[in-house]
């Protein structure tokens, strides 16, 4: 094993030279890195069976990778372990690392294939014009052969971003063998296909964003080129959401300062704000997709999911190819079978939340016995301890049901999975507040009677241990909302970013110590490769290590790397770093979008009760831009690039919440607004304890507000439709240019016919028709003058007396 580990790792040399080349390109202001025969992907291979079976599985994986045109290097996974003042590298039992390199010719072929597939799928080929504006690549649209990238010895002949290169190689690794891929997955013993973090880029990214208030297009461009469209689209959405929160945040702060809770003016503003935000974002994401050249990528459906299982093959109507398919009727049957499962899980969650709510309400509003303060924390502990675990179970069940439905493409799979998860997240985030406002508050005396009756049957000391709920109704809703908003944001920030960063720093101490010892030893590489001893402390800059994972000896060697192979200790540090990154959780934008959707719901539903909620969300999201960047850099694996043209089903989720907010805001204002002129008068004592409780009037308010919302959304969408977006402008200009090119090449007769149809006859064509009008070959049309004279005579006789 020692000889195998000492063998030079070509991948590390390529990895180092690539980063040096990219740093030179960045310093020269280049927008992209050169298209090189390289991609920093690592596969984690695990096998728990007998050695012979593991060797056979490994042989199958390597052969399939080689058949897909990829180069493979295999190393045993290593971890650094600290022993007092020394650190050693030890092999990880049962795990191998497969380093993947892609030859330039193979990458060029895959890139050409991807571009041609986009064209066949209906995507419009775009390019930058001489003035920098975006325009349709008419040459490529008319002649698809121009999409082909031809192999060249010039390494700068074509340019491609890092994320695009990783996307192509990842498709080669996991794509179906019928599409030229290796079809590597979990069934082959490969539990992770990961691209390595570029720590220099991560440091520059965090440092740059930490010194500015808002991110701009250049920041999004860099993120897109490094991490792909999906991550860049999320940050674009988050930035837009932050900016749109400024209006309700400022107005809400003013209303809160004036003590104007449950204001109908603020409620109308919130509903209008929600409609404008969702509709303008729909336009903006379309424009972003156009500028990024991915408009229509979800319709093109580039590659099937590796998990898709076909039950038959059909002939594609567009291409005539024989493609795998799955019965739509069978998929709908599977979806119907999943409905009772989701309903049962949702019912259990709702019952559990209702029981926790009842317990908390009893302890906070009715119980006055011993340890009342301490017991009041019990529901919070139960909620925090049990509900996340049950939500995780529901998430796994939703994932299993969605996989069982067997969707062919990722967009369909993501939409169905999000629809199932939304039910669970909605109950978890909003049911507590709904129960407070519209179950407990209107019927608090009924619940109080039940509580006192049940307690009197069990104990004779009722007066000493029970009390009546006396908290004003509006204050009760406000306190519950304030606690939920502040607590959820603080807990979310700590569990999502803070705790993982601390654990990452703690777990990486051994590797950092080994790197520090190796660096302190100078360039002396003659000591034993399996043991590094010495003194030093690599943890002085704890914050830097936690946020960006400070560079190790590998990074120091990379800065001075050349064509020589890396020393043995540097290779061990590199392999240990890769092993450490593979142990991190996978990053997906799902949790981040779900968090923003939950927050949007609380802001849209209940901000009339606590007007500071939009401002709190704005402050949280401004910080979220930075903490999410730190999480991607340090607490998760490097995201796998994926092309998207939108935020997917989350836009429909936000639109649904906007519709529901028109109802919740109207009901809250009706129930708790004390002196609104167009609402019925209520007794002051009843208003303080219950609010307005007339169900019939509440139904009228609900229907009016819901129909007003539909009218407002109809007006907003139609007004916005009068201004075409970037994609509509570019494609319309392209169609006009295509028609002009066609007319230039068409025969003169067709050009004249087209001009005649458009009502724009040329002078030559008009003269030709005038000359031909005297020709006898026109037939019956030649007598038109005689007929005209006859008609004029008849008109002249109108009104004249009839001759005797």
């Amino acid at each position: 094993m020692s000889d195998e580990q000492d063998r030079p790792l070509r991948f590390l040399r390529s990895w180092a030279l690539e980063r040096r080349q990219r740093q030179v390109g960045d310093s020269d202001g280049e927008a992209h890195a050169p298209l090189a025969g390289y991609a920093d992907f690592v596969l984690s291979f695990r096998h728990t069976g007998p050695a012979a079976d593991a060797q056979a599985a490994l042989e199958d994986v390597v052969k399939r990778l080689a058949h897909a045109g990829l180069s493979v290097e295999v190393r045993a996974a290593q971890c650094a372990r600290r022993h007092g003042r020394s650190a050693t590298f030890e092999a990880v039992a049962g795990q191998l690392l497969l380093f993947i390199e892609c030859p330039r010719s193979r990458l060029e072929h895959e890139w050409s294939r991807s571009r041609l597939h986009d064209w066949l799928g209906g995507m419009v080929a775009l390019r930058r014009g001489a003035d920098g504006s975006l325009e349709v690549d008419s040459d490529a649209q008319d002649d698809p052969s121009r999409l082909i990238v031809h192999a060249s010895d010039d390494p700068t002949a074509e340019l491609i971003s890092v994320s695009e290169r990783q996307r192509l190689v990842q498709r080669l690794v996991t794509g179906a063998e019928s599409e030229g891929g290796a079809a590597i997955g979990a069934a082959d013993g490969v539990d992770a296909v990961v691209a390595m973090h570029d720590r220099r880029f991560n440091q520059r990214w965090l440092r740059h964003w930490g010194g500015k208030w808002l991110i701009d297009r250049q920041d999004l461009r860099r993120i897109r080129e490094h991490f792909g469209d999906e991550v860049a689209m999320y940050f674009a959405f988050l930035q837009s959401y932050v900016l749109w929160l400024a209006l309700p945040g400022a107005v809400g702060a003013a209303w809160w300062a004036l003590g104007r809770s449950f204001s109908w003016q603020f409620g109308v503003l919130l509903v209008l704000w929600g409609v404008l935000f969702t509709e303008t974002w729909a336009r903006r994401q379309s424009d972003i997709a156009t500028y990024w050249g991915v408009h229509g990528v979800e319709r093109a459906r580039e590659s099937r999911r590796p998990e898709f299982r076909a039950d038959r093959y059909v002939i594609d109507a567009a291409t005539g190819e024989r493609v795998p398919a799955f019965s739509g009727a069978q998929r709908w049957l599977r979806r119907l079978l999943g409905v009772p499962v989701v309903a049962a899980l949702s019912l259990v969650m709702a019952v559990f939340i209702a029981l926790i709510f009842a317990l908390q309400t009893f302890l906070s509003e009715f119980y006055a016995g011993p340890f009342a303060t301490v017991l009041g924390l019990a529901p919070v502990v139960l909620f925090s301890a049990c509900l996340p675990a049950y939500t995780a179970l529901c998430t796994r069940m939703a994932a299993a049901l969605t996989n069982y439905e067997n969707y062919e493409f990722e967009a369909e799979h993501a939409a169905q999975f999000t629809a199932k998860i939304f039910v669970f997240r909605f109950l978890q985030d909003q049911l507590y507040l709904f129960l407070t406002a519209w179950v407990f508050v209107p019927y608090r005396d009924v619940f109080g009677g039940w509580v006192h009756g049940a307690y009197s049957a069990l104990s004779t000391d009722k007066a000493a241990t029970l009390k009546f709920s006396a908290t004003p109704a509006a204050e009760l809703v406000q306190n519950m909302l304030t606690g939920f908003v502040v607590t959820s944001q603080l807990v979310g920030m700590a569990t999502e970013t803070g705790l993982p960063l601390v654990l990452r720093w703690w777990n990486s101490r051994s590797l950092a110590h080994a790197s520090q010892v190796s660096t302190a030893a100078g360039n002396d590489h003659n000591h034993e490769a399996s043991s590094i001893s010495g003194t030093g402390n690599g943890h002085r800059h704890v914050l830097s290590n936690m946020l960006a994972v400070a560079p190790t000896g590998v990074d120091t060697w990379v800065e001075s790397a050349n064509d020589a192979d890396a020393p043995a200790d540097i290779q061990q540090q590199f392999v240990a770093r890769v092993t450490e990154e593979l142990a991190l959780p996978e990053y997906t934008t799902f949790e981040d979008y779900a968090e923003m959707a939950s927050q949007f719901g609380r802001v849209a539903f209940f901000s009339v009760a606590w007007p500071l909620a939009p401002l709190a969300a704005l402050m949280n999201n401004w910080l979220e831009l930075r903490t999410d960047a730190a999480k991607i850099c340090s607490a998760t694996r490097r995201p796998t690039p994926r092309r998207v043209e939108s935020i997917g089903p989350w836009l429909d989720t936000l639109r649904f919440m906007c519709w529901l907010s028109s109802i919740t805001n109207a009901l809250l204002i009706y129930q708790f607004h004390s002196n609104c002129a167009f609402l019925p008068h209520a007794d002051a004592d009843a208003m303080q304890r219950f609010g307005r409780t007339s169900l019939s009037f509440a139904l009228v308010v609900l229907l009016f507000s819901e129909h007003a919302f539909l009218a407002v959304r109809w007006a907003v969408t139609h007004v916005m439709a009068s201004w075409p977006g970037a994609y509509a402008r570019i494609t319309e200009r392209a169609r006009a240019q295509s028609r002009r090119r066609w007319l230039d090449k068409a025969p003169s007769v067709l050009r004249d016919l087209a001009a005649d149809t458009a009502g724009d006859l040329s002078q030559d064509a008009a003269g030709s028709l005038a000359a031909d009008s005297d020709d006898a070959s026109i037939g019956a049309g030649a007598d038109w003058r005689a007929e005209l004279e006859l008609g004029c005579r008849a008109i002249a006789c109108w009104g004249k007396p009839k001759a005797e």
Side-chain angles (χ1 to χ4, degrees), residues 690-707:
F690 315 108
R692 298 181 180 86
T693 56
S694 172
L695 294 179
S696 58
F697 204 92
L699 181 61
V700 172
V701 170
L702 184 152
L703 292 176
F704 173 79
S705 61
E706 193 261 350
H707 283 72

Side-chain angles (χ1 to χ4, degrees), residues 317-372:
T319 63
E321 296 178 338
R322 187 169 178 266
V323 296
F326 186 75
S327 170
Q330 188 174 355
R331 180 176 289 125
W332 268 105
L333 178 60
R334 294 186 177 189
R335 291 176 66 176
L336 292 175
L337 292 175
V339 170
V341 178
V342 175
L345 292 172
S346 302
L347 180 61
V348 172
M349 177 178 284
V351 171
F352 175 75
I353 293 175
L355 291 176
I356 296 295
F357 171 79
L359 179 61
Q360 182 176 5
T361 303
F362 168 73
L363 293 174
S364 61
E365 295 295 318
F366 298 106
Y367 183 71
F371 309 107

